[in-house]
Coordinates of all heavy atoms in Angstrom, one line a residue:
G7 N 84.2 73.4 22.4 CA 85.3 73.4 21.5 C 85.7 74.8 21.0 O 84.9 75.7 21.1
T8 N 86.9 74.8 20.4 CA 87.4 76.0 19.8 C 88.6 75.7 19.0 O 89.1 74.6 19.1 CB 87.7 77.1 20.9 OG1 88.0 78.3 20.3 CG2 88.9 76.7 21.7
T10 N 92.4 77.9 18.5 CA 93.2 79.1 18.6 C 94.6 78.8 18.1 O 95.1 77.6 18.3 CB 93.3 79.6 20.0 OG1 94.1 78.8 20.8 CG2 91.9 79.7 20.7
V11 N 95.2 79.7 17.4 CA 96.6 79.5 16.9 C 97.5 80.7 17.3 O 97.0 81.8 17.5 CB 96.6 79.2 15.4 CG1 95.7 78.1 15.0 CG2 96.2 80.5 14.6
A61 N 89.4 84.4 35.1 CA 90.0 84.6 36.4 C 91.6 84.7 36.3 O 92.2 85.6 36.9 CB 89.7 83.4 37.3
Y73 N 104.0 94.8 38.7 CA 105.4 94.7 38.2 C 105.8 96.1 37.6 O 106.9 96.6 37.9 CB 105.6 93.6 37.1 CG 107.0 93.4 36.7 CD1 107.7 92.4 37.2 CD2 107.6 94.1 35.7 CE1 109.0 92.1 36.8 CE2 108.9 93.9 35.3 CZ 109.6 92.9 35.8 OH 110.9 92.7 35.4
T76 N 106.3 98.6 40.4 CA 107.5 98.3 41.3 C 108.8 98.5 40.6 O 109.7 99.2 41.2 CB 107.4 96.8 41.7 OG1 106.2 96.6 42.4 CG2 108.6 96.5 42.7
T83 N 107.2 89.1 28.1 CA 106.3 88.0 27.7 C 106.8 86.7 28.4 O 106.0 85.9 28.9 CB 106.1 87.8 26.2 OG1 105.9 89.1 25.6 CG2 105.0 86.9 25.9
K98 N 97.4 72.3 40.4 CA 97.2 71.1 39.6 C 96.3 70.1 40.3 O 95.8 69.3 39.6 CB 98.6 70.5 39.2 CG 99.4 70.0 40.4 CD 100.7 69.5 39.8 CE 101.6 69.0 40.9 NZ 102.9 68.6 40.4
G110 N 103.4 87.9 22.8 CA 103.7 89.3 23.0 C 105.0 89.8 22.4 O 105.8 89.0 21.9
Y111 N 105.1 91.1 22.4 CA 106.4 91.7 21.9 C 106.7 92.8 22.9 O 106.2 93.9 22.9 CB 106.2 92.3 20.5 CG 107.5 92.7 19.8 CD1 107.7 92.4 18.5 CD2 108.5 93.4 20.5 CE1 108.8 92.7 17.8 CE2 109.6 93.8 19.8 CZ 109.8 93.4 18.5 OH 111.0 93.8 17.8
V112 N 107.5 92.5 23.9 CA 108.0 93.5 24.9 C 109.5 93.8 24.5 O 109.8 94.9 24.1 CB 107.9 93.0 26.3 CG1 108.4 94.0 27.3 CG2 106.4 92.7 26.6
N119 N 103.0 78.1 24.8 CA 101.8 77.3 25.0 C 101.8 76.7 26.3 O 102.9 76.1 26.8 CB 101.8 76.2 23.9 CG 100.5 75.4 23.9 OD1 99.8 75.3 24.9 ND2 100.2 74.9 22.7
D121 N 99.7 74.1 29.2 CA 98.7 73.1 29.5 C 98.1 73.4 30.9 O 98.6 74.2 31.7 CB 99.2 71.7 29.3 CG 100.2 71.3 30.3 OD1 100.1 71.7 31.5 OD2 101.1 70.6 29.9
L126 N 105.0 74.3 30.1 CA 105.3 75.5 29.3 C 106.2 75.2 28.2 O 107.3 74.6 28.4 CB 105.9 76.6 30.2 CG 106.4 77.8 29.6 CD1 105.4 78.6 28.9 CD2 107.1 78.7 30.7
T132 N 101.9 77.3 17.2 CA 101.2 76.3 18.1 C 99.7 76.5 17.9 O 99.3 77.5 17.3 CB 101.6 76.5 19.6 OG1 101.0 75.5 20.3 CG2 101.1 77.9 20.1
G135 N 92.8 73.7 21.4 CA 91.4 73.5 21.2 C 91.0 72.3 20.4 O 91.9 71.6 19.9
A143 N 98.2 71.1 11.4 CA 98.7 70.5 10.1 C 98.9 71.7 9.1 O 99.9 71.6 8.3 CB 97.6 69.5 9.6
F149 N 104.4 77.2 7.7 CA 105.3 78.0 8.4 C 106.7 78.0 7.9 O 107.2 77.0 7.5 CB 105.4 77.5 9.9 CG 106.3 78.3 10.7 CD1 105.9 79.5 11.3 CD2 107.6 77.9 11.0 CE1 106.8 80.3 12.0 CE2 108.5 78.6 11.7 CZ 108.1 79.8 12.3
M153 N 109.3 84.4 8.8 CA 108.2 85.0 7.9 C 107.7 86.3 8.4 O 107.9 86.6 9.6 CB 107.1 84.0 7.8 CG 106.3 83.7 9.0 SD 105.3 82.2 8.9 CE 104.4 82.4 7.4
K159 N 100.0 86.3 9.5 CA 98.5 86.5 9.6 C 97.7 85.7 8.6 O 96.7 85.1 9.0 CB 98.3 88.0 9.4 CG 96.9 88.4 9.8 CD 96.7 89.9 9.9 CE 96.6 90.6 8.5 NZ 96.2 92.0 8.6
L161 N 98.5 82.9 7.2 CA 98.6 81.5 7.6 C 97.7 81.2 8.8 O 97.0 80.2 8.8 CB 100.1 81.1 7.9 CG 100.3 79.7 8.3 CD1 99.9 78.7 7.2 CD2 101.8 79.5 8.6
I163 N 95.0 82.8 9.8 CA 93.6 82.8 9.4 C 93.2 81.5 8.6 O 92.2 80.9 8.9 CB 93.3 84.0 8.5 CG1 93.4 85.3 9.3 CG2 91.9 84.0 7.8 CD1 93.5 86.6 8.5
V181 N 86.9 85.0 12.1 CA 88.2 84.8 12.8 C 88.6 86.1 13.4 O 88.7 87.1 12.8 CB 89.3 84.2 11.8 CG1 90.6 84.1 12.6 CG2 88.9 82.9 11.2
V183 N 91.7 88.1 14.9 CA 93.1 88.2 14.7 C 93.7 89.3 15.5 O 93.2 90.5 15.4 CB 93.5 88.3 13.2 CG1 95.0 88.3 13.0 CG2 92.8 87.3 12.3
K192 N 97.2 95.3 17.5 CA 96.1 95.6 16.6 C 95.2 94.4 16.5 O 95.6 93.2 16.4 CB 96.5 96.0 15.2 CG 97.2 97.3 15.2 CD 97.6 97.7 13.8 CE 98.4 99.0 13.8 NZ 98.8 99.4 12.4
E193 N 93.8 94.6 16.6 CA 92.9 93.5 16.5 C 92.0 93.8 15.3 O 91.6 94.9 14.9 CB 92.0 93.5 17.8 CG 90.9 92.5 17.7 CD 89.9 92.7 18.8 OE1 89.3 93.8 19.0 OE2 89.6 91.7 19.6

Side-chain angles (χ1 to χ4, degrees):
T8 189
T10 75
V11 304
Y73 187 95
T76 304
T83 315
K98 65 185 175 184
Y111 193 136
V112 179
N119 187 332
D121 66 37
L126 171 61
T132 189
F149 179 81
M153 66 197 309
K159 188 168 82 168
L161 180 60
I163 292 167
V181 177
V183 184
K192 291 182 181 177
E193 177 191 56

